[in-house]
Amino acid sequence: MIMSMFLFSLPCGNRGMAEAAEPIKIGYLAPYVGVFAKFGSDLRDGFKLYLDEIGNKVAGRQIIFIDEDDEGKPEVGLVKAKKLVEKDQVHILAGIISSGVAYAVRDYVIASKVPLVITNAGANKLTQDQRSPFIFRTSFANGQQDRAGGWYAYAKMGARKVIMIGSDYAAGHEKGDGFKKAFQFMGGEVVEEIYPPLGTNDFAPYLAKITNYVGKVDRTWAFFAGSDAIRFVNQYQEYGLKEKLKLFCEEGVTDEANLPSQKDAALGIESYARYCIGYDSPENRKFVKEYRKKYNYDPGSLSEGGYVGAKFIVKALEAVKGKIENQEAFLKALRGVKFEAPRGPIRFDEHQNVIFNTFIERVEKRDGKYNNEVVYVIPDVNQYWMPKK
């Protein structure tokens, strides 16, 4: 946990009286233990990289970054959010990997009137029927790029029947529903859905079910993240399924964070993603170079997600000349932010969720390194995107 000296004695409701020269405090929630531990550190590292690029200052005010480990658990996330707001008196909350944590903090954020910028969790209701002027998302809504993936599987891969497998929690089901909705709309058939518990160590019982469909379906769709993704991909190969029934995955399965542990088991696997390290643009080349220089490992989708989230916040702060105490002006400025991110052009829709290009990517090996390379780009995918037949 990164902490600073205690700088405020004012209660939350009186922040508008604070001197303009006082630091701006950003409270950050991410998991640093458990299934999502590596994703949590990647998300944080990307966020901090952008803050470092601007010298941790905006409009003459220092930015103080305070992060807390939410452990990927809803009940812990809520406790840590309250600590950041009530004790540390942060001006804004950001981060969050788990959709469960995002749903858990929603009501508290709204009641406290503290802006929340979600930099990963795709809990789709938070920018749809449970949306709030205080909740922004710079990553994706569950189902967003998944519907684009469902279209691609049918229209470009030629898949007509699939079996689906994903982690049994909010994101797994919401992402699976998104893929299925577009795939079935195009005319495809989902023959079975399998949802192992989060934190599954042995996938053998589930892989045995998949084996029964070899020769009967065209693809296995999969969504896992963190250590679950590493185990699933490795065991899928060990079970002899990799070549018999090819995988088509959500980006978290073969994220750059996982590839050093997956190696050849991931080679050739295609996925759909909001970010691809192999995307050739000036912004992405700069981001990859600086990220590798600072952390000595390759950035993945979580790394870029943190970086983009920080930039959204800072751009809004620049627009209001650092006066975050004028919350109405800050929120209005944040809604209007748009820029060229490492993933390409990015902006908010009318419900404060991002619109972005979706990449189809494939794991390749070059000079002994495993990375994702761009295969296809689906432009301007929003959270309500649906294909046309």
Side-chain angles (χ1 to χ4, degrees):
M1 180 179 69
I2 298 172
M3 290 293 296
S4 67
M5 68 178 71
F6 191 78
L7 294 167
F8 286 91
S9 58
L10 297 170
C12 293
N14 294 327
R15 284 188 192 132
M17 298 170 60
E19 293 295 328
E22 289 181 336
I24 295 169
K25 286 186 170 186
I26 299 175
Y28 207 74
L29 293 168
Y32 304 128
V33 296
V35 171
F36 301 127
K38 181 64 169 69
F39 276 8
S41 61
D42 282 8
L43 195 73
R44 176 199 60 204
D45 288 350
F47 196 95
K48 291 182 67 179
L49 177 64
Y50 187 75
L51 295 184
D52 288 346
E53 286 183 5
I54 62 166
N56 290 278
K57 285 186 177 181
V58 60
R61 297 181 68 174
Q62 183 184 5
I63 295 174
I64 300 294
F65 177 89
I66 308 172
D67 71 327
E68 289 286 345
D69 184 359
D70 64 29
E71 301 177 23
K73 299 175 181 178
E75 65 278 10
V76 176
L78 180 56
V79 170
K80 296 298 180 70
K82 289 180 176 179
K83 181 263 182 189
L84 287 166
V85 171
E86 296 170 19
K87 180 180 178 183
D88 299 313
Q89 295 194 325
V90 298
H91 296 87
I92 188 168
L93 289 168
I96 306 181
I97 294 282
S98 167
S99 289
V101 172
Y103 281 127
V105 304
R106 175 197 178 267
D107 291 350
Y108 177 74
V109 163
I110 295 170
S112 301
K113 296 185 178 181
V114 175
L116 169 64
V117 176
I118 299 170
T119 58
N120 186 74
N124 56 29
K125 294 178 182 178
L126 297 186
T127 52
Q128 295 177 18
D129 58 324
Q130 292 182 15
R131 63 186 180 272
S132 162
F134 293 98
I135 297 176
F136 295 75
R137 179 163 35 221
T138 63
S139 50
F140 58 88
N142 290 334
Q144 184 170 353
Q145 66 262 46
D146 306 280
R147 286 189 292 275
W151 166 82
Y152 186 86
Y154 186 95
K156 298 297 182 180
M157 288 181 160
R160 295 297 180 265
K161 294 183 179 182
V162 301
I163 184 171
M164 298 175 61
I165 183 168
S167 287
D168 187 13
Y169 74 114
H173 289 279
E174 290 179 356
K175 285 179 171 293
D177 288 346
F179 178 90
K180 181 172 62 173
K181 183 177 182 179
F183 186 69
Q184 291 179 332
F185 173 80
M186 294 298 293
E189 179 185 352
V190 175
V191 298
E192 186 172 354
E193 297 178 61
I194 304 169
Y195 289 96
L198 192 65
T200 293
N201 288 311
D202 183 7
F203 287 96
Y206 311 104
L207 296 174
K209 284 187 177 182
I210 294 175
T211 300
N212 294 330
Y213 289 101
V214 172
K216 300 175 184 177
V217 301
D218 304 302
R219 292 273 172 166
T220 298
W221 173 89
F223 164 70
F224 296 100
S227 56
D228 279 3
I230 293 170
R231 287 190 291 268
F232 175 76
V233 168
N234 288 340
Q235 290 175 32
Y236 199 85
Q237 183 188 49
E238 291 165 5
Y239 220 80
L241 283 167
K242 183 183 176 186
E243 300 305 326
K244 293 178 182 178
L245 185 51
K246 290 187 177 181
L247 287 169
F248 185 44
C249 307
E250 194 273 350
E251 63 186 338
V253 178
T254 52
D255 186 87
E256 253 62 28
N258 301 334
L259 294 180
S261 299
Q262 293 168 333
K263 298 187 172 79
D264 280 356
L267 195 60
I269 293 178
E270 291 186 337
S271 62
Y272 53 87
R274 69 189 186 273
Y275 169 72
C276 181
I277 192 174
Y279 178 52
D280 189 16
S281 73
E283 291 78 16
N284 192 41
R285 288 194 296 271
K286 176 180 180 292
F287 168 66
V288 173
K289 179 182 177 181
E290 294 303 317
Y291 196 92
R292 285 172 171 166
K293 180 180 177 181
K294 184 172 180 63
Y295 300 115
N296 198 32
Y297 69 92
D298 285 344
S301 59
L302 281 296
S303 312
E304 195 263 1
Y307 184 87
V308 163
K311 191 167 183 175
F312 263 106
I313 293 170
V314 170
K315 289 290 184 184
L317 287 169
E318 289 173 347
V320 297
K321 297 180 171 51
K323 297 176 182 178
I324 195 169
E325 291 80 11
N326 186 344
Q327 193 176 78
E328 184 177 350
F330 172 73
L331 294 176
K332 181 179 179 180
L334 185 55
R335 292 183 194 105
V337 172
K338 58 182 178 179
F339 56 91
E340 193 73 20
R343 74 181 79 169
I346 189 168
R347 66 191 188 280
F348 286 123
D349 66 12
E350 67 275 18
H351 294 158
Q352 300 172 187
N353 187 78
V354 288
I355 302 170
F356 53 81
N357 295 338
T358 293
F359 298 97
I360 306 300
E361 58 184 17
R362 182 188 299 119
V363 178
E364 305 282 0
K365 185 179 182 181
R366 295 184 182 179
D367 302 322
K369 284 191 66 177
Y370 300 86
N371 283 123
N372 283 289
E373 299 292 341
V374 176
V375 173
Y376 191 86
V377 180
I378 305 167
D380 281 340
V381 175
N382 64 42
Q383 64 179 326
Y384 303 108
W385 187 94
M386 274 295 288
K388 297 177 181 179
K389 286 187 179 180

